[in-house]
Amino acid sequence: MSDSNNKDLREVHQDINDKAEGIHDKLKERATMHLEPVIDMHYQLRETAKAKEIIEKAMNLAREEIPKGHVATYIPELGKEDPHQLGICLYPLKGDKICLGDYNTRFTMQSVSKVLMLIVALEVCGLKNVFRKVGMEPSGEAFDSLVELDVSNSKPYNPLINSGALAVCGLLLPEVSFQDMLRYTRNVCSDAGIELNEDVFDSEMKTCSRNRSIAYLLQSKGIITTDVEDTLRFYTKMCSMNVTAESLANLGKKLANDGVCSLDGKRYMSSRTARIAKTLMLTCGMYDGSGAFAIKVGIPTKSGVGGGLLSVSDKRAGIGVFGPALDAQGNSIAGCKLLREISNELRLNLFYDPEWNSDQDAEENVLTAMKAASVM
Ligand code: GLN
């Protein structure tokens, strides 16, 4: 190599080093800049009045989404809900409970109950037995899909979609009764008023041919060995338990505290079970909307077509939301917007980033571009 070539190379290296130093300086500057908000993270939730004001504002923004959504009608009884309802309960581990709007209105748990079925199955049947029957991967399909189950000829993708939850019910049925599950639900939700909503249960049992097909498919593959109709009834009863946003916040708070009630120190599930439930809520809790929700909101959440959302801000708060108007994926449309707003404002995102562009139009553009490029 000639001297002049060597010189060129040295210049290039020098240039790269200069640039790297420049970048390091910039990063150092930013790190100091961000220190304060990060240290400050727990502050907002303790400031109840301020947090309440933030949530009130978020509720107003979220209400604007309601006309874009629809209540579920494939379960006829759910079609009778007033789509304009919206309520939230946020229960911090340290600080006062914040309840707004229709936080005390009863609605059916629907798929939020899949978290409870998973918790009890992990506790009663054990981790190995559960994951012998279901996987732990997002499906990318609608919640009631049976395509991937049939085509891939294996077990359901995860326990938070219908096929997976039905498989879990097949495990639970020989071990616990619905009454046992109801009792546990009342305890873990700190809500003695939770009952089976007979009207919603009857309505769904008359129209659940899709779930029935899934259950028979699971039987044909040997994934459930229990009676199909009994399994279906057990699953549908779990979906038809009447909760409130407040009862979901109580449950979320115990999950946030690794399975222990912060008030009386009582343990409701092992910390391993709580951790698995939270992880699957983050990756699979919003069906085929899970990835985008994780990016936009970053709080492990499980939705139900009754309009409920159970969210867990780990080590910080349990959140319950009710808003029966749903988006295309079957998730509460105003509820998702509400969580997105408070996640930004109260810094609840698991991966909180003070630089995240709060301009939501710009955010949408990035997400659309990522989807188009098949990154998501
Ligand atoms: N009971 C409903 C069903 O099985 C629950 C679905 C949901 O909430 N996404 O279709």
Side-chain angles (χ1 to χ4, degrees):
M1 207 180 270
S2 72
D3 263 6
S4 72
N5 269 350
N6 267 339
K7 192 170 163 265
D8 283 353
L9 219 53
R10 270 199 304 274
E11 271 168 13
V12 170
H13 279 158
Q14 190 55 48
D15 195 36
I16 290 173
N17 281 340
D18 289 350
K19 281 208 176 105
E21 256 172 40
I23 291 168
H24 280 305
D25 286 346
K26 277 211 184 86
L27 287 179
K28 250 192 256 159
E29 236 172 70
R30 286 206 196 146
T32 344
M33 203 169 83
H34 294 166
L35 217 51
E36 198 201 335
V38 173
I39 290 169
D40 201 25
M41 279 191 49
H42 286 252
Y43 158 77
Q44 280 99 334
L45 289 184
R46 288 206 202 115
E47 286 275 297
T48 310
K50 196 172 158 208
K52 197 166 178 179
E53 205 179 286
I54 288 173
I55 300 173
E56 251 161 19
K57 259 196 210 146
M59 290 269 284
N60 291 335
L61 282 173
R63 279 205 180 87
E64 291 173 14
E65 297 296 306
I66 293 175
K68 297 184 207 154
H70 303 280
V71 293
T73 49
Y74 78 100
I75 300 173
E77 198 60 25
L78 293 186
K80 296 180 183 167
E81 280 290 349
D82 170 6
H84 298 100
Q85 301 170 93
L86 184 64
I88 182 168
C89 174
L90 185 146
Y91 197 177
L93 260 59
K94 289 176 189 146
D96 296 328
K97 211 182 240 187
I98 300 171
C99 298
L100 286 165
D102 301 301
Y103 72 92
N104 210 12
T105 301
R106 295 231 168 245
F107 58 93
T108 50
M109 217 174 191
Q110 299 301 336
S111 283
V112 179
S113 68
K114 289 174 173 127
V115 177
L116 289 175
M117 300 184 220
L118 171 67
I119 289 172
V120 176
L122 287 169
E123 293 290 310
V124 173
C125 312
L127 184 136
K128 271 196 194 139
N129 288 327
V130 170
F131 291 108
R132 211 172 273 149
K133 299 283 183 187
V134 289
M136 36 178 95
E137 302 302 335
S139 72
E141 299 284 340
F143 64 81
D144 58 354
S145 170
L146 39 71
V147 176
E148 87 284 359
L149 177 64
D150 195 19
V151 173
S152 70
N153 198 30
S154 60
K155 53 192 183 185
Y157 270 86
N158 68 70
L160 299 186
I161 51 173
N162 290 14
S163 54
L166 280 159
V168 169
C169 285
L171 269 182
L172 283 174
L173 205 53
E175 307 295 335
V176 293
S177 65
F178 172 69
Q179 283 308 318
D180 294 330
M181 293 299 287
L182 185 58
R183 212 170 306 123
Y184 179 73
T185 306
R186 286 174 180 157
N187 287 339
V188 78
C189 292
S190 309
D191 179 359
I194 298 174
E195 301 280 359
L196 171 69
N197 182 326
E198 302 270 359
D199 292 338
V200 174
F201 171 66
D202 289 343
S203 178
E204 182 163 9
M205 280 310 289
K206 284 190 194 124
T207 53
C208 66
S209 22
R210 235 187 136 75
N211 284 342
R212 188 167 274 117
S213 321
I214 295 174
Y216 277 102
L217 190 58
L218 289 168
Q219 187 190 47
S220 77
K221 289 170 181 288
I223 296 168
I224 59 173
T225 49
T226 43
D227 180 83
V228 168
E229 290 301 319
D230 286 350
T231 313
L232 200 55
R233 253 193 304 278
F234 183 90
Y235 165 89
T236 311
K237 278 187 180 172
M238 288 299 299
C239 292
S240 307
M241 289 187 294
N242 256 337
V243 291
T244 65
E246 187 173 4
S247 26
L248 294 186
N250 292 337
L251 163 60
K253 188 184 166 204
K254 292 181 185 95
L255 280 163
N257 199 32
D258 299 328
V260 174
C261 172
S262 60
L263 300 178
D264 60 11
K266 200 172 150 201
R267 181 167 284 288
Y268 287 80
M269 70 201 77
S270 68
S271 58
R272 182 175 76 171
T273 292
R275 175 174 158 168
I276 295 172
K278 286 181 279 196
T279 310
L280 287 171
M281 283 165 70
L282 179 69
T283 54
C284 316
M286 306 298 276
Y287 313 113
D288 41 338
S290 298
F293 188 85
I295 289 187
K296 292 178 194 171
V297 183
I299 307 176
T301 298
K302 181 73 204 86
S303 65
V305 290
L309 293 166
L310 159 70
S311 295
V312 182
S313 172
D314 204 33
K315 315 291 185 282
R316 300 188 68 199
I319 308 169
V321 176
F322 169 53
L326 308 177
D327 64 16
Q329 277 92 24
N331 301 322
S332 171
I333 196 160
C336 288
K337 171 77 172 171
L338 180 53
L339 287 172
R340 185 172 176 178
E341 288 297 319
I342 65 169
S343 171
N344 281 341
E345 297 296 325
L346 296 173
R347 301 172 187 172
L348 298 179
N349 195 311
L350 257 182
F351 311 108
Y352 174 67
D353 163 17
E355 286 223 333
W356 181 257
N357 192 345
S358 56
D359 172 353
Q360 295 197 356
D361 286 341
E363 225 177 87
E364 282 317 334
N365 289 342
V366 173
L367 291 172
T368 314
M370 283 166 89
K371 268 192 188 156
S374 303
V375 178
M376 283 173 62

